[in-house]
Amino acid sequence: MAKNPKVCVVGSINMDMMTTTNIIPDQGETVLGESFTTYPGGKGANQAVAAVRLGAEVIIVGAVGEDEFGKSLKERFKKEGINEEAVDVIPDESTGVASIILSNGDNRIIVAPGANKYVTPEIIKKKEDIILASDIILMQFEIPMETIEYTVNLAYEHHIPVVINPAPYQTIPGSIIQKVTFLTPNELELQALKKSANYEAICGKIIETKGSNGVTFTLPNGEKKTIPAYPAKVKDTTGAGDTFNGAFVAEYAKEKDIEKAIQFANAAASLAVEKHGAQEGMPIREAVIRRMQEADNKK
Ligand code: ATP
Ligand code: RIB
């Protein structure tokens, strides 16, 4: 396997508009908050940043609008060393925006998809060569479901592993789940997935992230295993799941060792929650290794 795995992220690109507040308004109520900041975000973009910082070669397939947010987010990819040639600029459309309310370190998010709606199967067809040159594909649910289905089928035909972070949750056809290598729901997404899919048939593919309770997955012998979260000084959990996914894929593509990759991603995500903004706290490889060693030394 390649030393620097080639990761292709097919996903969303947003500008995050984050307001911090001690009081969350009720319907019809106005409150005074604490602060406002814009951060680069979008689950696709965040996961791409997490993977590239950890040493993967990353290409992102997505779309931004013809506006200042789009321009600056594309620039940001270049600075991170992410290949952004497959990010289309959609005329007369705005870049995706996430309105985030951050209160006590936890978030409430509304995404207005904007250009992310235009990441269609036709776009995937046009970028097929790029996608098929990757070692692993990572997707989330902020782009149209038909695109996810098309890409999973394409990857399956070409024996390329696919990881899906089913967030925000939408129903996914069972025939598509069968072709996915891993699904990484959080606890709420797993509850929804259990209602719409035959859980017993797919439990071997599920890596459940559980916030400060770590990660649960199924060993090849059918036994469930939970890897506890690393202790963290939490400031903002936005992007914790994205860091986990980007890190998991970057590590799994190298050695195909699921447990090692989960352990690594768990440590990476624990560092990400220690800074505000989805991408600001995403660590480089050395920081993750240090966190794992420090935890080992305390045992
Ligand atoms: P988000 O949508 O906020 O990005 P999520 O709901 O998709 O996150 P979580 O399950 O909350 O995902 O978190 C993903 C991973 O991040 C966890 O499995 C864990 O590894 C790490 N993590 C999250 N919260 C904490 C925490 N408080 N302390 C340490 N690690 C954490
Ligand atoms: O997972 C966090 C991300 O979800 C934010 O960056 C926001 O853009 C939304 O897509």
Side-chain angles (χ1 to χ4, degrees):
M1 175 53 60
K3 210 156 177 258
N4 291 326
K6 288 188 187 151
V7 172
C8 176
V9 178
V10 180
S12 58
I13 302 164
N14 296 333
M15 188 60 88
D16 290 356
M17 323 280 271
M18 193 176 85
T19 305
T20 53
T21 179
N22 293 324
I23 317 159
I24 294 170
D26 283 332
Q27 175 113 26
E29 189 189 13
T30 302
V31 298
L32 285 180
E34 308 297 312
S35 64
F36 172 80
T37 320
T38 56
Y39 291 107
K43 292 186 190 299
N46 294 343
Q47 295 180 17
V49 170
V52 83
R53 288 203 190 151
L54 295 166
E57 213 179 288
V58 179
I59 182 150
I60 181 159
V61 178
V64 293
E66 203 176 26
D67 52 20
E68 284 307 313
F69 284 167
K71 240 189 250 170
S72 75
L73 291 168
K74 267 179 84 90
E75 274 310 308
R76 175 87 184 202
F77 287 138
K78 284 189 200 151
K79 280 194 194 129
E80 290 283 350
I82 295 168
N83 183 336
E84 46 76 69
E85 72 192 41
V87 174
D88 284 1
V89 179
I90 310 295
D92 301 323
E93 184 53 81
S94 46
T95 297
V97 162
S99 302
I100 304 183
I101 296 177
L102 181 70
S103 192
N104 295 322
D106 215 343
N107 60 50
R108 287 171 165 76
I109 305 180
I110 303 172
V111 174
N116 295 307
K117 290 193 297 277
Y118 295 87
V119 185
T120 57
E122 285 62 45
I123 293 225
I124 303 298
K125 275 178 213 162
K126 281 194 208 138
K127 325 251 184 221
E128 202 172 292
D129 289 353
I130 294 173
I131 294 171
L132 295 181
S134 53
D135 295 316
I136 193 158
I137 297 170
L138 177 58
M139 291 188 282
Q140 323 72 29
F141 284 177
E142 287 183 338
I143 56 170
M145 185 52 81
E146 54 177 349
T147 309
I148 313 265
E149 293 182 30
Y150 182 85
T151 312
V152 169
N153 282 322
L154 179 71
Y156 188 75
E157 267 172 43
H158 292 268
H159 311 286
I160 301 175
V162 175
V163 176
I164 290 192
N165 174 221
Y169 190 76
Q170 293 175 56
T171 305
I172 175 167
S175 57
I176 296 296
I177 295 182
Q178 274 173 27
K179 295 177 182 169
V180 168
T181 316
F182 295 113
L183 288 141
T184 57
N186 66 13
E187 289 169 290
L188 289 175
E189 290 148 8
L190 182 59
Q191 278 175 28
L193 188 63
K194 278 181 175 171
K195 283 184 198 144
S196 64
N198 177 359
Y199 177 69
E200 290 313 314
I202 61 165
C203 63
K205 296 173 186 282
I206 306 278
I207 298 169
E208 181 192 8
T209 65
K210 305 195 296 187
S212 57
N213 293 319
V215 184
T216 297
F217 67 108
T218 307
L219 292 165
N221 65 6
E223 211 180 288
K224 289 237 176 308
K225 178 158 186 176
T226 295
I227 301 188
Y230 285 80
K233 296 186 188 98
V234 180
K235 274 203 178 144
D236 176 9
T237 59
T238 311
D242 296 333
T243 309
F244 180 88
N245 278 280
F248 173 76
V249 158
E251 199 60 17
Y252 178 77
K254 282 205 316 190
E255 291 181 41
K256 298 273 165 53
D257 183 326
I258 172 173
E259 194 164 339
K260 246 172 133 178
I262 290 175
Q263 192 72 258
F264 182 82
N266 214 9
S270 77
L271 285 155
V273 299
E274 295 185 337
K275 289 209 176 123
H276 278 146
Q279 296 174 16
E280 310 307 299
M282 286 177 176
I284 57 169
R285 174 165 289 276
E286 291 69 21
V288 178
I289 290 166
R290 211 176 310 126
R291 174 139 300 183
M292 292 167 78
Q293 281 168 348
E294 280 165 9
D296 278 348
N297 293 343
K298 282 186 189 150
K299 276 182 192 161

